[in-house]
Amino acid sequence: MKIEFAPINIPFKRRMQTFAVLNWIFTFLFLGQCCLAVFVFLIVAGYWYIAAVYTVWLYLDWETPNQGGRRSEWVRNWTIWNYFRDYFPIHLKKTTTLDPKFNYLFGFHPHGVLVAGAFGNFCTESTNFRKLFPDLTPHLCVLPYWFKVPFYRDYVMCGGLVSSVKSSVSHILSREEGGNVAVIVIGGAEESLDARPGALTLRALNRKGFIKLAAKCGAHLVPVFSFGENELFNQVNNPKGSTLRTIQERFQKFMGFTLPLFHARGIFQYNFGLLPFRKPIYTIVGKPIVVEQNHTPSNQEIEELHNKYIAALNELFEENKAQYGIPETDHLSFS
């Protein structure tokens, strides 16, 4: 295989874009382990008193990720996120105005490998979420294990990340003042195993917990589709029934998460590495589905609302696919 190296004379702006994405990859895949190592080092290296003070803080602050988190507008507005946005680039598009008197549950599709679109649009202000949706506050819901790692949890909460457990999402969607958005990546880790260029299969048919939660809280449902999300990485072939896929699925059941064996390009060459391809991402926020609060929704009511959501998601995709390079003959597949 002939390796295609990056040219030496790269503009400084593009180098900063690469650094910003490298920082994001490191944060997502390795920073948690580094933070845990620092915590252990403080104990074994004689700085146990620092670890002890932090442990007390951790105990007192344990429920914060389940109670709206602790966002930092300063962190969300760091200049590095603008470089991160421009690397792909990432675009956020709205189809209608959302009334801040209500709370909303955004269903984000597809998961992709590392949900770059969800991070760029809802954990930073680089794509002008607040300008597009005034008086709305987004919270990206992620697996609760993110918030069990010392130091790491405090950093990721700054971006507006909260736990995806039911009590956490309910806390956000039940606020009487309105204007709160819980963003849930519906397909989850299972869908990431099918994330590769051209993939249009969404894990959504059996995902109804978010529907029930929206009904109980009276939060309006909003389908969100991120064109280009699956184009960022290649993935080692893992068809259903293969040894690799079986291992990945068992790991997910045991740990609650999994990581596909992905690859794209490197820092100084374009043939292999963990950096994503420079492919544009267009995240389209659909029209809200009005949901009347119902503390005890029946299975039939949940099914009807779920069908309405799937239809709205499919319509959002069909209305926009031609504009973002999807052939007219290609359609979403739900599983």
Side-chain angles (χ1 to χ4, degrees):
M1 179 182 67
K2 184 179 179 180
I3 299 178
E4 182 183 359
F5 289 97
I8 296 176
N9 296 321
I10 296 279
F12 176 75
K13 186 175 182 180
R14 286 179 67 87
R15 292 189 185 277
M16 288 300 298
Q17 292 168 5
T18 301
F19 171 77
V21 173
L22 185 63
N23 167 72
W24 169 68
I25 292 286
F26 175 79
T27 299
F28 196 97
L29 298 181
F30 306 114
L31 183 59
Q33 296 91 314
C34 292
C35 289
L36 184 59
V38 169
F39 185 76
V40 173
F41 172 79
L42 291 174
I43 297 174
V44 301
Y47 299 98
W48 60 267
Y49 49 90
I50 298 178
V53 171
Y54 183 83
T55 300
V56 173
W57 159 255
L58 191 63
Y59 174 79
L60 297 174
D61 194 58
W62 190 253
E63 288 300 316
T64 298
N66 300 327
Q67 298 174 347
R70 184 171 50 251
R71 67 200 300 112
S72 167
E73 293 305 320
W74 175 63
V75 173
R76 287 173 58 87
N77 283 280
W78 279 353
T79 302
I80 193 173
W81 306 134
N82 294 334
Y83 288 113
F84 173 83
R85 172 201 63 204
D86 294 339
Y87 175 93
F88 301 95
I90 301 174
H91 308 270
L92 181 63
K93 307 286 185 179
K94 74 173 185 178
T95 57
T96 189
T97 299
L98 299 180
D99 191 338
K101 292 189 300 183
F102 303 103
N103 293 318
Y104 299 91
L105 194 159
F106 282 16
F108 185 91
H109 309 266
H111 184 287
V113 173
L114 297 179
V115 285
F119 176 83
N121 288 308
F122 306 120
C123 297
T124 80
E125 289 299 326
S126 63
T127 56
N128 297 316
F129 180 91
R130 282 292 180 87
K131 291 182 180 179
L132 288 171
F133 302 101
D135 301 317
L136 292 185
T137 302
H139 303 80
L140 180 60
C141 303
V142 298
L143 293 173
Y145 79 85
W146 283 48
F147 305 101
K148 301 182 186 301
V149 182
F151 307 122
Y152 184 72
R153 65 189 296 276
D154 303 289
Y155 174 58
V156 298
M157 274 196 288
C158 290
L161 275 73
V162 297
S163 174
S164 60
V165 298
K166 183 168 66 175
S167 60
S168 172
V169 181
S170 179
H171 177 86
I172 293 168
L173 299 180
S174 298
R175 291 178 175 175
E176 295 183 359
E177 71 274 13
N180 295 286
V181 177
V183 183
I184 299 179
V185 185
I186 305 300
E190 185 179 3
E191 189 176 271
S192 71
L193 297 179
D194 293 317
R196 49 177 47 87
L200 292 174
T201 299
L202 302 181
R203 302 274 180 170
L205 288 185
N206 297 318
R207 311 278 171 135
K208 300 175 183 177
F210 73 102
I211 298 290
K212 185 176 182 179
L213 195 56
K216 285 187 172 183
C217 298
H220 295 349
L221 286 163
V222 179
V224 178
F225 195 89
S226 195
F227 291 91
E229 195 74 42
N230 281 338
E231 311 303 314
L232 304 182
F233 296 96
N234 292 319
Q235 185 174 166
V236 174
N237 195 31
N238 60 340
K240 280 190 172 296
S242 66
T243 301
L244 174 58
R245 185 61 167 253
T246 300
I247 293 173
Q248 290 173 320
E249 290 175 344
R250 287 179 179 176
F251 183 83
Q252 182 199 345
K253 288 181 180 179
F254 179 72
M255 295 296 295
F257 69 95
T258 189
L259 271 179
L261 298 182
F262 64 91
H263 58 95
R265 52 156 294 185
I267 300 174
F268 303 111
Q269 46 73 35
Y270 300 132
N271 297 84
F272 55 88
L274 296 181
L275 285 183
F277 296 121
R278 285 181 179 264
K279 299 285 186 178
I281 299 172
Y282 295 91
T283 303
I284 316 300
V285 179
K287 299 175 183 177
I289 301 169
V290 177
V291 178
E292 298 294 335
Q293 189 170 24
N294 182 352
H295 293 291
T296 56
S298 65
N299 290 337
Q300 181 180 351
E301 290 169 327
I302 293 173
E303 188 69 28
E304 290 175 353
L305 189 55
H306 183 262
N307 290 339
K308 188 181 295 186
Y309 176 84
I310 294 295
L313 173 60
N314 194 57
E315 181 181 358
L316 178 67
F317 174 81
E318 292 293 334
E319 288 179 349
N320 292 277
K321 67 180 184 180
Q323 185 178 353
Y324 300 115
I326 307 294
E328 284 295 332
T329 54
D330 288 0
H331 306 282
L332 290 178
S333 174
F334 296 96
S335 64

